[in-house]
């Protein structure tokens, strides 16, 4: 992915992705926004806290990326274009932690002196520790105030200054020190989380062996060009998307599909970057550049999804925006209480300071994004792409699952089982007519018929062919008009179809009728088997949803027979694509949120109408990958109960995280007002909550 893309429409509107170091909390995002928004030419900003990224849309004629980088550097954060080397660090982190170490030593020394009875000297040590440890927070607090926001640094500095004024020098020093340790812990945990998530997605090797001019050379994958011949040795990772041009092997596509099954690859087959070659050596002809590979698209989709906000997140952030000022007002009231109601002002001011520290909602704000990001990354590892937190939340609330039949519940590898000709004709004639019309179609039924005919006779494609989705196809063969399709299709064209659709043989098959010049010529019986895991998947789904429904364009007999075999609750047959769409609305009204699973191509309207649209087999189809809310990279139906389970676990995780942070805050609020909480306890609680929340969220990476 290039870091800067120019808009294809006007060439002046550009987009850039930056990495921002030091953007760890939503307050920092606000600071960044305040700093960048006034720049002329800036159009849109969106910050992704989890990955420390900033997406910027701007007018390249009026604004440069370096101007943005400069503006950000004034806030104390560092920003650079995503794929650039980071600018040399000004030792910012270094001096920060060295001062903290100094502060630690001073506090220790002070403690020893105090024990030895040298109280006055000890106090000076504490003051020195406070000043050393406080330098960094003061700097950050000033930046934040200049951007007219209140972040944890501002609240901390006020609290520490207050403690100094009250004469609690030891308290001030220990608070500064604890705050530094806490921040270090928080930065470390978040960093670990970021790395764990990136590692999951960072799958393709950096180099490839290419044959150029007869010699084998190692080149960087980004330097490969289309048409290069790459050697992939046994056991190596495939470095790039391409077609096998020599050799044969088995390839494990788990990194893309989540299915750890070896798949045979020989000349002409496609292989994908990031997949693992098995026992044979293969030559691969490069068909896509590194930034366009399937894996790159998946990573891009996951990262875009992770940057989107889930509804809970928006809610939490709105809450936090009210919460912080509210607690500050309470703190002010507490500080002023003795002047109104009497009491020891020292004590009440101290309580107010504790409240100030509690006013920072960092754990609460981080709770949702970490959970969502971890869940989306974990799902991607299993070959399930969920396009954002909002879809994840809706996935968790689904009560009805609607399946398309052909190609979804069934394998879609249809076979012609029998051909029945009406009196006076032959089976071969019926097949020949049908195959002529279906020759160019990609529908599984068409492929079955064309494949069957190819074994017998030579087929001349029909002319004027048109395909009517969900019904059939028609065209001209030898000057006659031929219809091929469902009974419903032929009936709409005035052709009476009278075959025993209720007979046991018909029930096991899809019936494709063929008419010539308005008269039925015969019927083709097409067989399709359910997928091996369809029954199990439906049984597992039943634990999470109330109703499993089948929607199909096939005739009712065949549909009901298969529904009974698979344990589907409700079947709607003979539906046109538009009627499937309408049926989704009906199902939603009856049973609640609907998830629709389809093949992503001709089911697109129904997928779009459902609360969650799931496309199968997305590894093979770009359309499916792009259109659905959730894309299953493989054809494995068992991924569906997995996805719902994960979504429900994530929502549970988010609730737990919000509860942890709120309960801790509430407890400390009460303790602080009652006078039982000290400043250092408040700080520990604040950071402790952040760390617990992040660690809890990371469990979702490993959820199965
Ligand atoms: P499903 O809903 O089971 O995925 P479709 O909506 O693709 O199936 O098709 C519904 C019905 O329409 C099929 O069962 C078949 O009778 C008929 N049909 C659709 N397309 C074709 C075609 N190309 N040739 C013959 N029949 C077709
Ligand atoms: Mg279908």
């Amino acid at each position: 992915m290039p870091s800067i893309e120019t808009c294809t429409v006007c060439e002046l509107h550009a987009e850039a992705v930056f990495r921002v170091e030091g953007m760890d909390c939503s307050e920092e995002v606000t600071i960044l926004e305040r700093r960048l928004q006034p720049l002329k030419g800036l159009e849109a900003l969106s910050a992704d806290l989890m990955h420390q990224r900033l997406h910027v849309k701007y007018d390249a004629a009026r604004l440069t990326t370096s101007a943005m980088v400069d503006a950000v550097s004034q806030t104390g954060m560092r920003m650079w274009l995503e794929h650039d080397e980071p600018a040399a660090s000004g030792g910012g982190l270094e001096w920060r932690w060295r001062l903290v170490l100094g502060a630690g030593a001073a506090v220790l020394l002070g403690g020893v002196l105090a024990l030895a009875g040298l109280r006055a000297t000890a106090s000076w040590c504490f003051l020195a520790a406070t000043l050393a440890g406080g330098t960094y927070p003061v700097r950050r607090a000033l930046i934040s105030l200049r951007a007219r926001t209140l972040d944890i640094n501002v609240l901390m500095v006020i609290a520490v200054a207050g403690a100094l004024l009250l004469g609690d020098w030891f308290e001030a020093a220990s608070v500064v020190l604890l705050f530094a340790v806490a921040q270090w812990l928080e930065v470390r945990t978040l960093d670990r989380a970021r790395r764990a998530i990136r590692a999951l997605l960072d799958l393709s090797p950096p180099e490839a062996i290419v044959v150029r001019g007869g010699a084998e050379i190692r080149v960087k994958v980004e330097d490969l060009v289309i048409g290069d011949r790459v050697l992939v040795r046994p056991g190596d990772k495939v470095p790039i998307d391409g077609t096998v041009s020599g050799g044969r092997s088995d390839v494990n596509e788990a990194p893309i599909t989540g299915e750890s099954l070896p798949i045979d690859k020989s000349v002409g087959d496609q292989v994908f970057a990031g997949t693992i070659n098995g026992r044979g050596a293969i030559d691969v002809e490069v068909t896509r550049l590194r930034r366009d590979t399937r894996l790159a698209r998946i990573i891009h989709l996951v990262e875009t999804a992770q940057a989107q906000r889930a509804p809970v997140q928006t809610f939490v952030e709105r809450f936090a925006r009210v919460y912080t000022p509210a607690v500050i007002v309470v703190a002010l009231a507490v500080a002023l209480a003795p002047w109104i109601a009497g009491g020891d002002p020292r004590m009440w001011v101290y309580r107010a300071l504790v409240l100030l520290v509690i006013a920072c909602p960092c754990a609460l704000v981080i709770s949702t994004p970490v959970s969502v990001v971890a869940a989306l990354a974990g799902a991607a590892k299993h070959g399930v792409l969920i396009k954002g937190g909002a879809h994840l939340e809706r996935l968790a609330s689904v009560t009805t699952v609607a399946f398309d039949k052909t190609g979804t519940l069934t394998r879609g590898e249809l076979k012609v089982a029998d051909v029945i000709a009406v009196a006076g004709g032959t089976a071969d004639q019926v097949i020949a007519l049908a195959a002529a019309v279906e020759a160019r179609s990609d529908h599984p039924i068409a492929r079955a018929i064309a494949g069957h005919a190819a074994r017998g006779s030579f087929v001349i494609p029909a002319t004027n062919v048109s395909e009517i989705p969900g019904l059939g196809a028609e065209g001209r063969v030898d000057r006659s008009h031929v219809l091929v399709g469902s009974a419903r299709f032929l009936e709409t064209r005035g052709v009476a179809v009278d075959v025993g659709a209720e007979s046991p043989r018909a029930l096991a098959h899809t019936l494709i009728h063929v008419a010539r010049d308005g008269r039925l010529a015969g019927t083709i019986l097409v067989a399709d088997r359910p997928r091996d895991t369809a029954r199990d998947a439906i049984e597992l789904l039943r634990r999470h949803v109330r109703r499993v429904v089948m929607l199909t364009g096939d005739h009712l007999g065949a549909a009901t027979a298969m529904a009974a075999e698979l344990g589907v609750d409700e079947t709607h047959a003979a539906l046109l694509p538009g009627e499937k769409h309408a049926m989704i609305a009906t199902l939603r009204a009856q049973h609640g949120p609907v998830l629709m699973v389809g093949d992503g191509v001709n089911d697109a309207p129904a997928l779009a109408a459902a609360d969650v649209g799931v496309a199968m087999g997305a590894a093979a189809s770009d359309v499916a990958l792009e259109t659905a809310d959730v894309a299953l990279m493989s054809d494995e139906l068992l991924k569906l109960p997995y996805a719902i389970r994960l979504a429900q676990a994530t929502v549970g995780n988010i609730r737990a995280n919000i509860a942890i942070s709120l309960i801790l805050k509430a407890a400390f609020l009460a303790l602080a007002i009652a006078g039982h909480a000290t400043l250092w306890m408040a700080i520990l609680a604040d950071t402790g909550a952040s760390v617990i929340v992040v660690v809890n969220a990371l469990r979702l990476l490993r959820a199965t």
Side-chain angles (χ1 to χ4, degrees), residues 403-476:
F403 284 100
D404 164 57
K405 182 171 81 85
T406 315
T408 303
L409 280 176
T410 70
R411 285 194 212 132
E413 295 157 7
L414 290 77
K415 293 247 153 42
V416 171
D418 202 356
V419 185
I420 303 162
V422 293
T426 69
D428 282 348
Q429 285 170 339
V430 173
I431 276 288
L433 283 178
V437 174
E438 302 276 31
R440 300 260 155 74
S441 163
D442 217 25
H443 196 279
I445 292 175
R447 268 185 275 137
I449 293 175
H452 188 78
R455 278 186 279 157
S457 59
F458 184 67
V459 175
I460 304 162
T463 52
N464 294 345
V465 176
S466 58
E467 207 176 339
I468 300 93
L471 283 174
E474 60 186 321
R476 285 201 86 75

Side-chain angles (χ1 to χ4, degrees), residues 440-665:
R440 300 260 155 74
S441 163
D442 217 25
H443 196 279
I445 292 175
R447 268 185 275 137
I449 293 175
H452 188 78
R455 278 186 279 157
S457 59
F458 184 67
V459 175
I460 304 162
T463 52
N464 294 345
V465 176
S466 58
E467 207 176 339
I468 300 93
L471 283 174
E474 60 186 321
R476 285 201 86 75
V477 183
D478 286 347
R479 265 177 260 131
S480 358
H481 185 71
V482 177
L483 303 170
V484 185
S486 62
R488 182 169 177 180
F489 178 46
L490 270 69
E491 274 153 12
T492 57
R493 298 303 168 92
V495 181
V497 178
D498 181 30
V499 281
E502 309 306 319
S503 79
R505 272 174 64 69
L507 284 185
H509 296 104
T510 299
L511 304 176
I512 304 302
H513 308 285
V514 182
R516 176 180 206 156
D517 290 330
R519 288 192 41 219
L520 189 69
T523 299
I524 303 171
L525 276 63
V526 182
D528 192 8
R529 292 297 309 143
R531 293 183 191 277
D532 297 334
T533 47
R535 224 198 127 77
D536 295 342
I538 288 173
E539 207 173 298
L540 284 173
L541 274 177
R542 216 173 281 288
R543 296 189 193 162
H544 306 288
V545 301
R546 282 206 292 271
R547 210 142 177 92
V548 180
V549 182
M550 180 157 96
L551 303 180
T552 180
D554 205 350
H555 68 102
L556 186 64
T560 335
M562 185 162 296
E565 188 183 336
L566 295 178
V568 169
D569 301 312
E570 193 176 319
T571 310
H572 299 275
L575 296 174
L576 296 180
E579 293 169 335
K580 284 188 185 177
H581 176 279
M583 189 47 81
I584 299 283
T586 314
L587 287 172
R588 183 187 298 120
Q590 283 171 351
H591 310 294
V594 181
L595 177 151
M596 166 85 198
V597 202
D599 47 29
V601 186
N602 68 0
D603 293 321
L607 292 187
D611 297 272
V612 183
V614 181
M616 301 257 296
S621 144
D622 280 345
V623 191
L625 193 61
E626 304 294 339
T627 52
D629 302 325
V630 178
L632 306 183
M633 300 308 289
S634 65
D635 275 331
E636 179 51 74
L637 282 171
L638 288 173
K639 299 289 182 200
L640 206 58
Y642 159 78
I644 295 185
R645 218 160 44 229
L646 178 75
Q648 291 178 347
T650 310
V651 169
N653 194 286
I654 292 172
R655 290 211 182 111
N657 276 349
I658 292 178
I660 291 170
S661 7
L662 282 184
I663 289 172
L664 267 173
K665 286 287 173 197

